[in-house]
Amino acid sequence: MKKRITFLSVLVIFSIIVFFIQCGSSSHLEWVRTFGSTKPDAPYGLVADRSGAYITGSYYIIETVDSSTQCLALMKYNPDGILEWVDTYKNGYAQSRPILYQSGKVKHIYLMGITKAVGDSNDYLTQKYRDNDGLAWSNVYTYFDTIRVDTTRIDTVYIDKDDNPHGLAVDSDANVYITGSSYNDDTDEILTIKYDKNGNELWKKRYPDDESAKANGSSVAVLDNFVYVFGSIGDPSDFITLKYDALEGDLLQKHIFDNGNGYRDDSKSMAFDSDKNLYITGTAWNDEVDLSLNRDIITAKYQNGDLSVPPTITRYNYEDADRLDEGMQIITKAGFIYVLGISCGSTTESDIVLIKYDPDLTEVKNVRYNNTPVNKADWAYRFTMDDYGNLYLAGSSQSIDDKFDIITLKYDADLELQWLQRYDSGGINDIGLDIALSNIITNHNDIYVIGRSVSELNDADHVLLKYSE
């Protein structure tokens, strides 16, 4: 069920007093907007263009004093911070950044989420919205099986197990691809589905389809006539990359990467460069004694996207020590590969790390951000780049009073810090989750950051920040 809410409806949308610290003078905070109920609302991601920012997340509709319903929410703010519209889908929550697709003057927004269509287990939810015109179509995938009742009848039976989507992509023809994990006979398999622009299912593929190993798809990407899925397989898990024919969904190639020590390898992100080489990043666990700390960032390159040839692999292990190094996201730009991660230092709880590689995965440079002299936890989950090679990061940074602030940083292409912003709502914690840019004029960006603000009055609200340069 979908419900549309217009600006200045029953939702609480308001500006609040801001406390922030600025490094340098090349950026400033334009405005702050919050969005939420009296329940723990959670944003997931955002995308931006010159018309403003589109945000996905979850939002609770309060029905009575004792009753509320969690909804998937998609909302649009214009560049002046005015909430133009909100769409909600009952009994769901977002699992992806929104994807914008524009053909001529027509703009659509695609997103992925989780719903509970039947029973109490999770199901895939894929949706397409028209900008300022509501839901175009919505598809739910839930796992069913067939059983033979007798010699003359076969029944379809719903299996009350989880189907969890994790990756979303849209190709140049507005076909939609979604991947994740789906239950099948006591294990999880990678389930990838392709829909056309009208929401018709074109194909659906499971891997492995013989129930031989637990598997999960974490991201999906389309290049030319091929669909790539990056995920994990086995227990403990290894990296797996699958290559499908985009038209029919035939599996063309696969490659499994085992760290070699019998411990977990967790997939995270993938990207292509301009030469159609595929790069992946994630985390390799190295220690059976303390798996929570001893991890490395793994980055691999498949030449020309060919999975039949073993990849080039590199590791990042700060100070060659048995500490946590975790890969979060990978981006390629102008012949270089950039990896964002989280890394524990010798005297800090965790730092933000940015690593720059050349196309052969030789490290060019790495930089770390630590909130000195606090030396506590600093995290970044997402980053993006503009057309000039500047990198923008959003995350969280622990202050001296142990509360978290939303942190936004800009680095140039040589990984030199250009500016830093901290946002403190004055509440309990502020967590930065995603970042997006809108290029207004040459070498000038509006920067949107979405996060979660926890206060003593509300469990948690969406908070949207806009910076300008």
Side-chain angles (χ1 to χ4, degrees):
M1 178 183 297
K2 183 186 77 70
K3 183 176 181 180
R4 192 168 183 86
I5 306 174
T6 56
F7 177 57
L8 291 179
S9 64
V10 295
L11 300 175
V12 180
I13 314 295
F14 54 93
S15 299
I16 60 177
I17 299 173
V18 179
F19 301 92
F20 67 96
I21 300 172
Q22 180 172 320
C23 174
S25 57
S26 55
S27 67
H28 66 277
L29 185 65
E30 293 278 350
W31 46 255
V32 181
R33 300 292 183 266
T34 61
F35 176 101
S37 67
T38 56
K39 294 288 185 176
D41 305 304
Y44 191 94
L46 82 162
V47 67
D49 63 10
R50 293 190 177 189
S51 71
Y54 301 81
I55 302 160
T56 57
S58 65
Y59 168 75
Y60 280 85
I61 291 179
I62 309 301
E63 294 158 342
T64 68
V65 174
D66 300 318
S67 176
S68 61
T69 301
Q70 187 180 30
C71 300
L72 181 151
L74 172 66
M75 63 199 76
K76 163 75 178 296
Y77 284 89
N78 74 12
D80 295 322
I82 297 173
L83 181 67
E84 293 190 341
W85 51 261
V86 180
D87 276 299
T88 59
Y89 183 91
K90 279 194 172 183
N91 199 24
Y93 55 94
Q95 282 286 98
S96 73
R97 292 169 130 180
I99 294 177
L100 289 182
Y101 181 92
Q102 187 154 359
S103 178
K105 295 182 179 180
V106 179
K107 186 190 300 181
H108 293 102
I109 306 99
Y110 295 86
L111 57 88
M112 170 187 73
I114 285 175
T115 189
K116 299 180 187 298
V118 184
D120 295 324
S121 297
N122 295 340
D123 302 312
Y124 279 30
L125 175 64
T126 312
Q127 295 184 319
K128 174 181 177 178
Y129 287 85
R130 307 177 191 91
D131 187 23
N132 203 30
D133 194 28
L135 185 66
W137 54 259
S138 181
N139 283 331
V140 174
Y141 172 82
T142 187
Y143 180 64
F144 288 85
D145 204 355
T146 56
I147 60 170
R148 181 171 292 280
V149 178
D150 53 38
T151 57
T152 62
R153 191 171 106 247
I154 295 177
D155 280 356
T156 300
V157 179
Y158 167 72
I159 306 299
D160 193 14
K161 297 290 183 178
D162 284 338
D163 303 299
N164 292 309
H166 297 294
L168 176 71
V170 179
D171 67 20
S172 58
D173 295 320
N175 297 304
V176 184
Y177 305 82
I178 185 170
T179 196
S181 65
S182 178
Y183 176 83
N184 186 15
D185 289 344
D186 296 324
T187 192
D188 289 324
E189 297 173 340
I190 296 173
L191 173 67
T192 306
I193 305 174
K194 178 182 179 180
Y195 299 106
D196 69 15
K197 64 181 180 181
N198 297 314
N200 300 305
E201 184 183 299
L202 298 180
W203 50 258
K204 177 169 68 245
K205 300 295 178 179
R206 288 179 171 269
Y207 184 89
D209 57 5
D210 58 0
E211 306 150 28
S212 59
K214 181 178 180 180
N216 172 61
S218 60
S219 57
V220 60
V222 185
L223 180 67
D224 296 334
N225 297 315
F226 305 110
V227 179
Y228 292 81
V229 174
F230 182 37
S232 58
I233 187 167
D235 188 13
S237 58
D238 298 323
F239 291 158
I240 183 168
T241 310
L242 306 173
K243 182 178 181 179
Y244 292 98
D245 168 63
L247 184 61
E248 302 293 337
D250 296 329
L251 181 61
L252 304 177
Q253 294 178 332
K254 67 177 180 180
H255 185 264
I256 297 174
F257 166 69
D258 181 358
N259 188 33
N261 56 17
Y263 307 127
R264 283 176 54 183
D265 303 307
D266 291 339
S267 60
K268 202 66 179 183
S269 176
M270 65 176 167
F272 290 94
D273 67 11
S274 58
D275 294 323
K276 302 182 181 181
N277 300 305
L278 172 63
Y279 296 86
I280 61 174
T281 197
T283 306
W285 301 49
N286 297 315
D287 194 327
E288 63 181 347
V289 177
D290 191 353
L291 293 180
S292 66
L293 293 178
N294 192 356
R295 312 180 206 174
D296 296 341
I297 297 173
I298 297 289
T299 305
K301 172 187 178 181
Y302 291 95
Q303 187 77 29
N304 300 319
D306 185 358
L307 305 186
S308 67
V309 179
T312 302
I313 297 170
T314 188
R315 288 175 176 263
Y316 176 86
N317 182 327
Y318 182 57
E319 297 178 339
D320 293 323
D322 295 339
R323 302 190 188 97
L324 183 150
D325 299 291
E326 187 169 357
M328 303 304 296
Q329 187 185 354
I330 189 167
I331 292 178
T332 66
K333 187 78 171 181
F336 293 99
I337 295 85
Y338 299 86
V339 174
L340 173 66
I342 300 171
S343 177
C344 287
S346 56
T347 59
T348 63
E349 291 186 16
S350 63
D351 301 333
I352 298 167
V353 61
L354 265 177
I355 313 165
K356 180 179 181 179
Y357 296 104
D358 71 11
D360 295 323
L361 293 185
T362 300
E363 185 178 312
V364 177
K365 184 178 181 180
N366 76 77
V367 294
R368 302 170 68 86
Y369 172 77
N370 169 45
N371 184 20
T372 307
V374 176
N375 295 332
K376 294 188 177 181
D378 301 295
W379 307 324
Y381 300 109
R382 289 283 189 177
F383 74 128
T384 190
M385 296 186 72
D386 66 16
D387 293 337
Y388 307 96
N390 299 302
L391 295 89
Y392 299 80
L393 290 68
S396 303
S397 178
Q398 200 169 12
S399 57
I400 197 167
D401 59 2
D402 288 337
K403 295 181 179 180
F404 283 93
D405 301 331
I406 294 176
I407 187 170
T408 309
L409 305 99
K410 177 184 177 180
Y411 291 88
D412 66 16
D414 295 322
L415 300 190
E416 296 294 332
L417 182 63
Q418 301 300 296
W419 52 256
L420 157 70
Q421 294 273 7
R422 296 180 72 91
Y423 168 82
D424 177 6
S425 67
I428 298 174
N429 281 315
D430 299 293
I431 309 297
L433 298 172
D434 201 2
I435 188 167
L437 304 178
S438 174
N439 184 242
I440 305 301
I441 59 175
T442 302
N443 206 22
H444 171 88
N445 295 301
D446 283 343
I447 303 102
Y448 296 92
V449 176
I450 190 68
R452 197 178 193 205
S453 186
V454 182
S455 69
E456 295 178 358
L457 297 177
N458 297 309
D459 286 343
D461 288 337
H462 301 215
V463 57
L464 178 65
L465 315 176
K466 180 186 175 183
Y467 298 101
S468 64
E469 296 182 303

